[in-house]
Short mmCIF file of all heavy atoms in Angstrom, two decimals:
data_model
loop_
_atom_site.label_atom_id
_atom_site.label_comp_id
_atom_site.label_asym_id
_atom_site.label_seq_id
_atom_site.Cartn_x
_atom_site.Cartn_y
_atom_site.Cartn_z
N GLY H 292 -14.69 -24.05 -16.96
CA GLY H 292 -13.82 -24.56 -15.93
C GLY H 292 -14.51 -24.53 -14.59
O GLY H 292 -15.74 -24.38 -14.52
N PHE H 293 -13.73 -24.68 -13.54
CA PHE H 293 -14.30 -24.65 -12.19
C PHE H 293 -13.36 -23.93 -11.24
O PHE H 293 -12.17 -23.76 -11.53
CB PHE H 293 -14.63 -26.06 -11.69
CG PHE H 293 -13.47 -27.04 -11.70
CD1 PHE H 293 -12.56 -27.10 -10.65
CD2 PHE H 293 -13.31 -27.92 -12.78
CE1 PHE H 293 -11.52 -28.03 -10.66
CE2 PHE H 293 -12.26 -28.84 -12.80
CZ PHE H 293 -11.36 -28.89 -11.74
N THR H 294 -13.94 -23.49 -10.12
CA THR H 294 -13.16 -22.75 -9.12
C THR H 294 -13.15 -23.52 -7.81
O THR H 294 -14.22 -23.92 -7.31
CB THR H 294 -13.80 -21.37 -8.90
OG1 THR H 294 -13.88 -20.71 -10.17
CG2 THR H 294 -12.97 -20.52 -7.96
N ILE H 295 -11.96 -23.75 -7.31
CA ILE H 295 -11.82 -24.38 -5.99
C ILE H 295 -11.79 -23.22 -4.98
O ILE H 295 -11.02 -22.27 -5.13
CB ILE H 295 -10.51 -25.20 -5.92
CG1 ILE H 295 -10.48 -26.19 -7.08
CG2 ILE H 295 -10.38 -25.91 -4.57
CD1 ILE H 295 -9.13 -26.82 -7.34
N THR H 296 -12.64 -23.28 -3.98
CA THR H 296 -12.92 -22.08 -3.18
C THR H 296 -11.77 -21.67 -2.25
O THR H 296 -10.88 -22.46 -1.94
CB THR H 296 -14.17 -22.29 -2.30
OG1 THR H 296 -13.87 -23.37 -1.39
CG2 THR H 296 -15.39 -22.60 -3.11
N THR H 297 -11.87 -20.44 -1.77
CA THR H 297 -10.90 -19.93 -0.79
C THR H 297 -11.00 -20.76 0.50
O THR H 297 -10.01 -20.89 1.23
CB THR H 297 -11.19 -18.46 -0.46
OG1 THR H 297 -12.57 -18.34 -0.09
CG2 THR H 297 -10.92 -17.56 -1.63
N GLU H 298 -12.18 -21.30 0.76
CA GLU H 298 -12.31 -22.15 1.96
C GLU H 298 -11.46 -23.41 1.84
O GLU H 298 -10.94 -23.91 2.83
CB GLU H 298 -13.78 -22.55 2.16
CG GLU H 298 -14.63 -21.37 2.61
CD GLU H 298 -16.11 -21.72 2.74
OE1 GLU H 298 -16.53 -22.80 2.28
OE2 GLU H 298 -16.83 -20.89 3.30
N ALA H 299 -11.31 -23.91 0.61
CA ALA H 299 -10.45 -25.08 0.41
C ALA H 299 -9.00 -24.71 0.72
O ALA H 299 -8.24 -25.51 1.26
CB ALA H 299 -10.59 -25.60 -1.01
N CYS H 300 -8.65 -23.46 0.38
CA CYS H 300 -7.28 -22.99 0.67
C CYS H 300 -7.06 -22.91 2.17
O CYS H 300 -6.05 -23.38 2.71
CB CYS H 300 -7.06 -21.63 0.01
SG CYS H 300 -5.46 -20.91 0.33
N THR H 301 -8.04 -22.35 2.86
CA THR H 301 -7.93 -22.24 4.32
C THR H 301 -7.82 -23.64 4.93
O THR H 301 -7.03 -23.87 5.84
CB THR H 301 -9.19 -21.53 4.87
OG1 THR H 301 -9.44 -20.41 4.04
CG2 THR H 301 -9.01 -21.06 6.28
N LYS H 302 -8.59 -24.57 4.37
CA LYS H 302 -8.56 -25.95 4.86
C LYS H 302 -7.18 -26.56 4.61
O LYS H 302 -6.64 -27.28 5.47
CB LYS H 302 -9.66 -26.75 4.13
CG LYS H 302 -10.03 -28.05 4.78
CD LYS H 302 -11.13 -27.85 5.83
CE LYS H 302 -11.42 -29.11 6.62
NZ LYS H 302 -10.46 -29.46 7.64
N TYR H 303 -6.63 -26.27 3.44
CA TYR H 303 -5.29 -26.78 3.10
C TYR H 303 -4.28 -26.38 4.20
O TYR H 303 -3.49 -27.19 4.66
CB TYR H 303 -4.89 -26.22 1.73
CG TYR H 303 -3.42 -26.24 1.38
CD1 TYR H 303 -2.83 -27.36 0.79
CD2 TYR H 303 -2.62 -25.12 1.63
CE1 TYR H 303 -1.49 -27.37 0.47
CE2 TYR H 303 -1.27 -25.13 1.30
CZ TYR H 303 -0.71 -26.25 0.72
OH TYR H 303 0.63 -26.26 0.40
N TYR H 304 -4.36 -25.11 4.62
CA TYR H 304 -3.43 -24.66 5.66
C TYR H 304 -3.79 -25.27 7.02
O TYR H 304 -2.90 -25.69 7.77
CB TYR H 304 -3.40 -23.13 5.73
CG TYR H 304 -2.56 -22.54 4.60
CD1 TYR H 304 -3.14 -21.98 3.48
CD2 TYR H 304 -1.17 -22.61 4.66
CE1 TYR H 304 -2.37 -21.48 2.44
CE2 TYR H 304 -0.39 -22.10 3.63
CZ TYR H 304 -0.99 -21.55 2.52
OH TYR H 304 -0.20 -21.07 1.50
N GLU H 305 -5.08 -25.37 7.31
CA GLU H 305 -5.49 -25.99 8.59
C GLU H 305 -5.03 -27.44 8.68
O GLU H 305 -4.67 -27.92 9.74
CB GLU H 305 -7.03 -25.99 8.69
CG GLU H 305 -7.62 -24.71 9.23
CD GLU H 305 -9.14 -24.70 9.10
OE1 GLU H 305 -9.77 -25.77 8.96
OE2 GLU H 305 -9.68 -23.59 9.12
N ASP H 306 -5.05 -28.11 7.53
CA ASP H 306 -4.67 -29.53 7.52
C ASP H 306 -3.17 -29.72 7.38
O ASP H 306 -2.71 -30.80 6.99
CB ASP H 306 -5.38 -30.25 6.35
CG ASP H 306 -6.89 -30.35 6.57
OD1 ASP H 306 -7.32 -30.14 7.72
OD2 ASP H 306 -7.62 -30.61 5.61
N GLY H 307 -2.40 -28.70 7.67
CA GLY H 307 -0.95 -28.83 7.61
C GLY H 307 -0.44 -28.86 6.18
O GLY H 307 0.40 -29.70 5.84
N ARG H 308 -0.97 -28.00 5.35
CA ARG H 308 -0.57 -27.87 3.94
C ARG H 308 -0.80 -29.18 3.18
O ARG H 308 0.10 -29.69 2.49
CB ARG H 308 0.88 -27.41 3.83
CG ARG H 308 1.09 -26.06 4.45
CD ARG H 308 2.48 -25.53 4.25
NE ARG H 308 2.56 -24.20 4.85
CZ ARG H 308 3.00 -23.12 4.23
NH1 ARG H 308 3.41 -23.18 3.00
NH2 ARG H 308 3.03 -21.96 4.86
N GLN H 309 -1.97 -29.73 3.35
CA GLN H 309 -2.37 -30.94 2.62
C GLN H 309 -3.74 -30.70 2.02
O GLN H 309 -4.56 -30.02 2.64
CB GLN H 309 -2.53 -32.13 3.59
CG GLN H 309 -1.26 -32.56 4.29
CD GLN H 309 -0.23 -33.11 3.31
OE1 GLN H 309 -0.58 -33.67 2.27
NE2 GLN H 309 1.05 -32.92 3.63
N ILE H 310 -3.96 -31.28 0.84
CA ILE H 310 -5.32 -31.27 0.29
C ILE H 310 -5.98 -32.55 0.79
O ILE H 310 -5.51 -33.65 0.47
CB ILE H 310 -5.30 -31.20 -1.24
CG1 ILE H 310 -4.64 -29.87 -1.65
CG2 ILE H 310 -6.70 -31.33 -1.82
CD1 ILE H 310 -4.58 -29.61 -3.12
N ASN H 311 -7.03 -32.41 1.59
CA ASN H 311 -7.59 -33.61 2.22
C ASN H 311 -8.37 -34.46 1.21
O ASN H 311 -8.74 -33.99 0.13
CB ASN H 311 -8.39 -33.25 3.48
CG ASN H 311 -9.70 -32.54 3.15
OD1 ASN H 311 -10.30 -32.78 2.11
ND2 ASN H 311 -10.13 -31.68 4.06
N PRO H 312 -8.61 -35.73 1.55
CA PRO H 312 -9.24 -36.65 0.58
C PRO H 312 -10.59 -36.16 0.08
O PRO H 312 -10.94 -36.36 -1.09
CB PRO H 312 -9.40 -37.95 1.38
CG PRO H 312 -8.43 -37.85 2.50
CD PRO H 312 -8.25 -36.40 2.81
N GLU H 313 -11.35 -35.48 0.95
CA GLU H 313 -12.67 -35.00 0.55
C GLU H 313 -12.54 -33.98 -0.60
O GLU H 313 -13.24 -34.05 -1.61
CB GLU H 313 -13.33 -34.36 1.77
CG GLU H 313 -14.76 -33.95 1.55
CD GLU H 313 -15.31 -33.08 2.67
OE1 GLU H 313 -14.58 -32.84 3.66
OE2 GLU H 313 -16.45 -32.62 2.53
N ILE H 314 -11.62 -33.04 -0.42
CA ILE H 314 -11.45 -32.01 -1.47
C ILE H 314 -10.87 -32.63 -2.73
O ILE H 314 -11.29 -32.33 -3.85
CB ILE H 314 -10.58 -30.85 -0.93
CG1 ILE H 314 -11.28 -30.19 0.26
CG2 ILE H 314 -10.30 -29.83 -2.02
CD1 ILE H 314 -10.50 -29.09 0.94
N LYS H 315 -9.93 -33.55 -2.53
CA LYS H 315 -9.32 -34.21 -3.69
C LYS H 315 -10.40 -34.94 -4.50
O LYS H 315 -10.44 -34.83 -5.74
CB LYS H 315 -8.27 -35.21 -3.19
CG LYS H 315 -7.42 -35.79 -4.27
CD LYS H 315 -6.26 -36.58 -3.68
CE LYS H 315 -5.53 -37.28 -4.82
NZ LYS H 315 -4.46 -38.14 -4.37
N ALA H 316 -11.30 -35.64 -3.80
CA ALA H 316 -12.37 -36.37 -4.49
C ALA H 316 -13.25 -35.39 -5.28
O ALA H 316 -13.63 -35.64 -6.43
CB ALA H 316 -13.20 -37.15 -3.49
N GLN H 317 -13.52 -34.24 -4.64
CA GLN H 317 -14.35 -33.24 -5.35
C GLN H 317 -13.63 -32.70 -6.59
O GLN H 317 -14.24 -32.45 -7.62
CB GLN H 317 -14.73 -32.08 -4.43
CG GLN H 317 -15.83 -32.44 -3.46
CD GLN H 317 -16.38 -31.21 -2.72
OE1 GLN H 317 -16.39 -30.10 -3.23
NE2 GLN H 317 -16.83 -31.44 -1.49
N ILE H 318 -12.32 -32.53 -6.48
CA ILE H 318 -11.57 -32.01 -7.64
C ILE H 318 -11.74 -32.98 -8.81
O ILE H 318 -12.07 -32.56 -9.93
CB ILE H 318 -10.07 -31.82 -7.28
CG1 ILE H 318 -9.92 -30.70 -6.26
CG2 ILE H 318 -9.24 -31.54 -8.54
CD1 ILE H 318 -8.52 -30.53 -5.68
N PHE H 319 -11.57 -34.26 -8.55
CA PHE H 319 -11.69 -35.23 -9.64
C PHE H 319 -13.12 -35.32 -10.17
O PHE H 319 -13.35 -35.50 -11.36
CB PHE H 319 -11.15 -36.60 -9.21
CG PHE H 319 -9.65 -36.57 -8.98
CD1 PHE H 319 -9.04 -37.35 -8.00
CD2 PHE H 319 -8.84 -35.71 -9.72
CE1 PHE H 319 -7.67 -37.29 -7.78
CE2 PHE H 319 -7.47 -35.64 -9.51
CZ PHE H 319 -6.89 -36.44 -8.54
N GLU H 320 -14.08 -35.15 -9.27
CA GLU H 320 -15.48 -35.13 -9.70
C GLU H 320 -15.71 -33.98 -10.70
O GLU H 320 -16.36 -34.12 -11.72
CB GLU H 320 -16.33 -34.94 -8.45
CG GLU H 320 -17.83 -35.08 -8.62
CD GLU H 320 -18.53 -34.58 -7.34
OE1 GLU H 320 -18.02 -34.85 -6.22
OE2 GLU H 320 -19.53 -33.88 -7.47
N TYR H 321 -15.10 -32.82 -10.38
CA TYR H 321 -15.30 -31.67 -11.27
C TYR H 321 -14.47 -31.77 -12.55
O TYR H 321 -14.85 -31.20 -13.57
CB TYR H 321 -15.03 -30.35 -10.50
CG TYR H 321 -16.28 -29.94 -9.76
CD1 TYR H 321 -16.64 -30.60 -8.58
CD2 TYR H 321 -17.14 -28.97 -10.27
CE1 TYR H 321 -17.81 -30.27 -7.92
CE2 TYR H 321 -18.31 -28.64 -9.62
CZ TYR H 321 -18.64 -29.29 -8.45
OH TYR H 321 -19.81 -28.99 -7.81
N VAL H 322 -13.36 -32.54 -12.49
CA VAL H 322 -12.63 -32.80 -13.73
C VAL H 322 -13.56 -33.60 -14.65
O VAL H 322 -13.69 -33.29 -15.85
CB VAL H 322 -11.32 -33.57 -13.45
CG1 VAL H 322 -10.71 -34.08 -14.76
CG2 VAL H 322 -10.32 -32.68 -12.73
N ASP H 323 -14.24 -34.58 -14.07
CA ASP H 323 -15.19 -35.38 -14.88
C ASP H 323 -16.25 -34.47 -15.51
O ASP H 323 -16.58 -34.58 -16.68
CB ASP H 323 -15.91 -36.43 -14.01
CG ASP H 323 -14.95 -37.53 -13.56
OD1 ASP H 323 -13.84 -37.61 -14.13
OD2 ASP H 323 -15.30 -38.29 -12.62
N LYS H 324 -16.79 -33.56 -14.67
CA LYS H 324 -17.83 -32.66 -15.19
C LYS H 324 -17.30 -31.81 -16.33
O LYS H 324 -17.98 -31.59 -17.33
CB LYS H 324 -18.36 -31.73 -14.08
CG LYS H 324 -19.18 -32.46 -13.04
CD LYS H 324 -19.84 -31.46 -12.11
CE LYS H 324 -20.51 -32.24 -10.98
NZ LYS H 324 -21.35 -31.48 -10.12
N LEU H 325 -16.07 -31.30 -16.14
CA LEU H 325 -15.48 -30.45 -17.17
C LEU H 325 -15.26 -31.25 -18.45
O LEU H 325 -15.51 -30.76 -19.56
CB LEU H 325 -14.16 -29.84 -16.65
CG LEU H 325 -13.49 -28.84 -17.56
CD1 LEU H 325 -14.37 -27.64 -17.86
CD2 LEU H 325 -12.16 -28.34 -16.96
N GLU H 326 -14.82 -32.49 -18.28
CA GLU H 326 -14.61 -33.34 -19.45
C GLU H 326 -15.93 -33.53 -20.20
O GLU H 326 -15.98 -33.46 -21.43
CB GLU H 326 -14.04 -34.70 -19.01
CG GLU H 326 -12.58 -34.58 -18.57
CD GLU H 326 -11.97 -35.90 -18.12
OE1 GLU H 326 -12.73 -36.84 -17.78
OE2 GLU H 326 -10.73 -35.99 -18.10
N GLU H 327 -16.98 -33.73 -19.42
CA GLU H 327 -18.29 -33.92 -20.04
C GLU H 327 -18.72 -32.66 -20.81
O GLU H 327 -19.20 -32.72 -21.93
CB GLU H 327 -19.29 -34.20 -18.94
CG GLU H 327 -20.40 -35.16 -19.32
CD GLU H 327 -21.14 -35.56 -18.08
OE1 GLU H 327 -20.59 -36.35 -17.28
OE2 GLU H 327 -22.23 -34.99 -17.88
N MET H 328 -18.52 -31.50 -20.16
CA MET H 328 -18.95 -30.24 -20.78
C MET H 328 -18.18 -29.92 -22.06
O MET H 328 -18.71 -29.35 -23.00
CB MET H 328 -18.74 -29.07 -19.80
CG MET H 328 -19.78 -28.98 -18.73
SD MET H 328 -19.18 -27.93 -17.40
CE MET H 328 -19.11 -26.37 -18.21
N THR H 329 -16.90 -30.25 -22.05
CA THR H 329 -16.05 -29.83 -23.18
C THR H 329 -15.91 -30.92 -24.24
O THR H 329 -15.43 -30.65 -25.34
CB THR H 329 -14.63 -29.47 -22.69
OG1 THR H 329 -14.08 -30.62 -22.03
CG2 THR H 329 -14.63 -28.30 -21.75
N GLY H 330 -16.27 -32.14 -23.86
CA GLY H 330 -16.08 -33.26 -24.80
C GLY H 330 -14.60 -33.63 -24.93
O GLY H 330 -14.22 -34.39 -25.81
N LYS H 331 -13.76 -33.09 -24.05
CA LYS H 331 -12.33 -33.43 -24.07
C LYS H 331 -12.01 -34.21 -22.80
O LYS H 331 -12.72 -34.08 -21.81
CB LYS H 331 -11.50 -32.15 -24.11
CG LYS H 331 -11.75 -31.33 -25.35
CD LYS H 331 -10.87 -30.09 -25.36
CE LYS H 331 -11.12 -29.31 -26.64
NZ LYS H 331 -10.06 -28.38 -26.94
N LYS H 332 -10.92 -34.97 -22.85
CA LYS H 332 -10.58 -35.77 -21.67
C LYS H 332 -9.09 -35.62 -21.36
O LYS H 332 -8.27 -35.51 -22.28
CB LYS H 332 -10.85 -37.24 -21.97
CG LYS H 332 -12.16 -37.77 -21.43
CD LYS H 332 -12.21 -39.26 -21.71
CE LYS H 332 -13.33 -39.99 -21.01
NZ LYS H 332 -13.94 -39.41 -19.88
N PHE H 333 -8.78 -35.66 -20.07
CA PHE H 333 -7.38 -35.63 -19.64
C PHE H 333 -6.64 -36.82 -20.27
O PHE H 333 -7.08 -37.96 -20.14
CB PHE H 333 -7.29 -35.76 -18.12
CG PHE H 333 -7.10 -34.45 -17.40
CD1 PHE H 333 -7.30 -34.37 -16.01
CD2 PHE H 333 -6.68 -33.31 -18.06
CE1 PHE H 333 -7.11 -33.18 -15.33
CE2 PHE H 333 -6.48 -32.12 -17.38
CZ PHE H 333 -6.70 -32.05 -16.02
N GLY H 334 -5.55 -36.57 -20.96
CA GLY H 334 -4.69 -37.64 -21.48
C GLY H 334 -5.28 -38.37 -22.66
O GLY H 334 -4.74 -39.41 -23.09
N ASP H 335 -6.39 -37.86 -23.23
CA ASP H 335 -7.07 -38.58 -24.31
C ASP H 335 -6.23 -38.59 -25.60
O ASP H 335 -5.56 -37.61 -25.92
CB ASP H 335 -8.43 -37.92 -24.56
CG ASP H 335 -9.35 -38.80 -25.37
OD1 ASP H 335 -9.87 -39.77 -24.79
OD2 ASP H 335 -9.52 -38.52 -26.57
N LYS H 336 -6.33 -39.71 -26.32
CA LYS H 336 -5.51 -39.84 -27.53
C LYS H 336 -6.17 -39.16 -28.74
O LYS H 336 -5.55 -39.02 -29.79
CB LYS H 336 -5.29 -41.33 -27.85
CG LYS H 336 -4.66 -42.13 -26.72
CD LYS H 336 -3.14 -42.20 -26.90
CE LYS H 336 -2.38 -42.64 -25.67
NZ LYS H 336 -2.75 -43.82 -24.99
N GLU H 337 -7.45 -38.80 -28.57
CA GLU H 337 -8.15 -38.15 -29.68
C GLU H 337 -8.39 -36.66 -29.40
O GLU H 337 -8.14 -35.79 -30.22
CB GLU H 337 -9.51 -38.82 -29.92
CG GLU H 337 -9.46 -40.00 -30.88
CD GLU H 337 -8.69 -39.68 -32.16
OE1 GLU H 337 -9.01 -38.66 -32.80
OE2 GLU H 337 -7.75 -40.42 -32.51
N ASN H 338 -8.94 -36.45 -28.21
CA ASN H 338 -9.36 -35.08 -27.88
C ASN H 338 -8.90 -34.71 -26.46
O ASN H 338 -9.68 -34.66 -25.53
CB ASN H 338 -10.89 -35.03 -27.99
CG ASN H 338 -11.34 -33.67 -28.46
OD1 ASN H 338 -10.52 -32.76 -28.65
ND2 ASN H 338 -12.63 -33.51 -28.64
#
Side-chain angles (χ1 to χ4, degrees):
F293 56 85
T294 304
I295 306 166
T296 63
T297 52
E298 289 177 348
C300 177
T301 315
K302 197 88 187 76
Y303 161 87
Y304 282 103
E305 275 171 20
D306 292 344
R308 299 185 178 232
Q309 296 295 331
I310 297 183
N311 71 31
E313 186 192 357
I314 298 176
K315 189 171 174 184
Q317 283 191 31
I318 293 172
F319 293 146
E320 188 191 320
Y321 276 76
V322 169
D323 290 346
K324 290 189 187 189
L325 185 60
E326 287 180 340
E327 214 169 287
M328 283 163 66
T329 58
K331 298 182 178 198
K332 261 185 169 339
F333 260 166
D335 196 75
K336 304 265 165 51
E337 271 313 307
N338 213 357

